[in-house]
């Protein structure tokens, strides 16, 4: 368990020059993409086989971009293998044409980038100060001395990355064809993105959403604050597509009670099963391998023909 905790927030120290190898399609890298809002980082853009400017593509923005395509380049030798799953779904006609924009996390800034800011700001000063002092099991700070700035991270996506993609690739630019996805803290920021920018993102996939925000659930005010935020800021019922899921092993074992609270909000707001689903995966843990195994489900839900 200690190794899992350390891995969960580790600053991914990867070779920035190593472009992932994919089973189908191609990767175009934007190295060290500069931003006015967050630290610079790589962006890996996956284009499906036979990508053509003669037609338009939907766009899926995914967090933790260095973990998406090639297990030989990742710190834990696991990856979502997004290119493989997408290609199989294309071949079966299950999903619409789509490119994937893998936005790398900022390493040390990851927690501060992905922690939903408006719920955090509703905590008391004492609670916020206490969170900033929380350590990982290895003794390092969870937030690595960075203050929560996920509003800036979303501005980076919406004001800098998306305009670049829209102007350099043959893609639809409307919300109906623009999606966001991630796992764990990436699940949280995907939920936050669709609430903050409902006119930009038409759907969100939130896998193994890390509702505790940190690693303890006892006397933890964070999940309740996230639920309050959802009650106030969810997009209008059935105007978008929202996917949640969780496993039952390792860190995912913490999530079910909080996911049930989020589900209750969705039901109370009138969301139907055509626009929102939550799935439980018995025995599945908190890992890229687990997310790879079920990735076809959220992709088909968001992008299905």
């Amino acid at each position: 368990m200690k190794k899992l905790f350390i891995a969960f927030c580790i600053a991914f120290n990867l070779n920035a020059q190593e472009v992932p190898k994919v089973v189908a399609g191609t990767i175009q890298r934007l190295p060290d993409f500069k931003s006015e809002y967050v630290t610079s980082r790589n962006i890996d853009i996956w284009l499906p086989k036979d990508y053509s400017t003669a037609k338009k593509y939907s766009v899926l923005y995914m967090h933790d971009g260095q973990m998406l395509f090639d297990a030989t380049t990742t710190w834990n030798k696991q990856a979502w293998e997004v290119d493989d799953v997408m290609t199989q779904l294309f071949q079966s006609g299950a999903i619409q044409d789509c490119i994937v924009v893998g936005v790398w996390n900022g390493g040390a800034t990851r927690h501060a980038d992905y922690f939903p800011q408006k719920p955090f700001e509703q905590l008391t000063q004492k609670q916020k100060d206490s969170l900033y002092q929380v350590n990982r099991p290895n003794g390092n700070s969870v937030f690595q001395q960075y203050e929560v700035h996920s509003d800036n991270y979303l501005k980076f996506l919406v004001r800098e990355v998306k305009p670049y993609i829209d102007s350099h690739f043959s893609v639809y630019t409307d919300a109906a064809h623009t999606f966001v996805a991630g796992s764990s803290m990436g699940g949280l920021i995907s939920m936050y993105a669709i609430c903050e920018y409902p006119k930009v993102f038409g759907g969100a996939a939130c896998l193994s959403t890390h509702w505790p925000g940190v690693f303890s659930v006892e006397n933890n005010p964070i999940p309740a604050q996230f639920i309050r935020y959802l009650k106030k800021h969810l997009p209008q019922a059935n105007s978008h597509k929202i996917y949640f899921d969780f496993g039952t092993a390792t860190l995912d074992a913490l999530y079910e009670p909080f996911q049930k609270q989020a589900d209750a909000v969705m039901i109370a707001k009138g969301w139907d099963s055509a626009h929102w689903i939550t799935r439980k995966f018995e025995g599945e843990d908190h890992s890229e391998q687990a997310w790879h195994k079920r990735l076809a489900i959220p992709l088909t839900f968001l992008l299905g023909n």
Side-chain angles (χ1 to χ4, degrees):
M1 182 65 73
K2 181 176 180 180
K3 288 182 179 179
L4 176 69
F5 283 158
I6 295 172
F8 176 70
C9 274
I10 195 167
F12 298 116
N13 233 349
L14 302 180
N15 181 353
Q17 304 308 313
E18 190 172 1
V19 177
K21 296 179 178 63
V22 290
V23 298
T26 59
I27 294 282
Q28 291 191 18
R29 170 161 295 173
L30 305 178
D32 199 29
F33 191 92
K34 298 296 190 293
S35 171
E36 295 182 6
Y37 301 106
V38 295
T39 55
S40 61
R41 60 201 65 198
N42 293 340
I43 298 174
D44 288 339
I45 302 153
W46 178 76
L47 305 177
K49 183 182 178 181
D50 300 327
Y51 168 83
S52 169
T53 56
K55 60 182 178 180
K56 296 284 188 180
Y57 295 77
S58 295
V59 185
L60 175 63
Y61 292 89
M62 297 189 70
H63 314 290
D64 291 320
Q66 57 264 63
M67 307 301 292
L68 299 180
F69 300 108
D70 182 359
T72 67
T73 66
T74 67
W75 69 271
N76 63 355
K77 302 306 176 187
Q78 295 185 36
W80 293 57
E81 310 293 354
V82 173
D83 54 303
D84 193 359
V85 178
M86 293 283 280
T87 298
Q88 292 179 41
L89 293 173
F90 288 145
Q91 290 174 344
S92 68
I95 63 173
Q96 61 194 262
D97 292 324
C98 183
I99 71 171
V100 177
V101 180
V103 181
W104 283 39
N105 68 57
T109 69
R110 181 175 183 267
H111 223 81
D113 283 342
Y114 291 176
F115 197 110
Q117 187 168 338
K118 287 183 173 60
F120 179 83
E121 290 173 346
Q122 293 302 307
L123 298 170
T124 67
Q125 190 60 50
K126 182 178 180 180
Q127 289 169 332
K128 287 186 280 190
D129 291 343
S130 177
L131 281 175
Y132 281 135
Q133 294 174 20
V134 171
N135 290 333
R136 303 185 182 111
N138 65 1
N140 292 333
S141 166
V142 167
F143 287 93
Q144 304 254 351
Q145 313 308 315
Y146 289 92
E147 294 186 359
V148 170
H149 53 245
S150 55
D151 285 353
N152 272 350
Y153 176 74
L154 292 184
K155 289 176 183 176
F156 158 64
L157 290 183
V158 170
R159 299 182 185 180
E160 296 176 329
V161 180
K162 186 177 187 297
Y164 183 94
I165 299 299
D166 290 349
S167 63
H168 287 79
F169 296 90
S170 184
V171 298
Y172 295 105
T173 62
D174 61 326
H177 296 88
T178 306
F179 306 93
V180 62
S183 63
S184 196
M185 292 298 294
L188 278 181
I189 194 63
S190 297
M191 174 273 290
Y192 192 51
I194 201 169
C195 291
E196 291 293 298
Y197 290 95
K199 294 182 179 179
V200 174
F201 300 107
C206 312
L207 287 73
S208 296
T209 309
H210 190 60
W211 297 108
V214 287
F215 303 117
S216 173
V217 297
E218 294 182 11
N219 301 314
N220 184 344
I222 297 169
Q225 204 59 254
F226 288 156
I227 299 304
R228 291 189 191 100
Y229 173 83
L230 275 181
K231 288 179 180 178
K232 187 173 181 181
H233 295 284
L234 264 175
Q236 182 178 353
N238 306 325
S239 59
H240 295 66
K241 287 188 174 182
I242 300 179
Y243 171 93
F244 292 111
D245 75 19
F246 60 96
T248 61
T250 63
L251 271 180
D252 275 39
L254 301 176
Y255 299 155
E256 185 168 8
F258 307 117
Q259 186 60 59
K260 285 183 175 179
Q261 294 175 36
D263 293 349
V265 174
M266 302 296 288
I267 293 168
K269 294 288 185 179
W271 287 76
D272 64 31
S273 59
H275 297 88
W276 154 64
I277 58 174
T278 293
R279 295 287 303 269
K280 176 180 179 179
F281 293 91
E282 197 71 45
E284 294 297 336
D285 65 5
H286 194 90
S287 69
E288 285 75 21
Q289 288 180 343
W291 302 321
H292 162 74
K293 284 196 290 184
R294 62 184 188 255
L295 180 58
I297 298 171
L299 290 181
T300 304
F301 180 69
L302 294 184
L303 298 163
N305 284 322

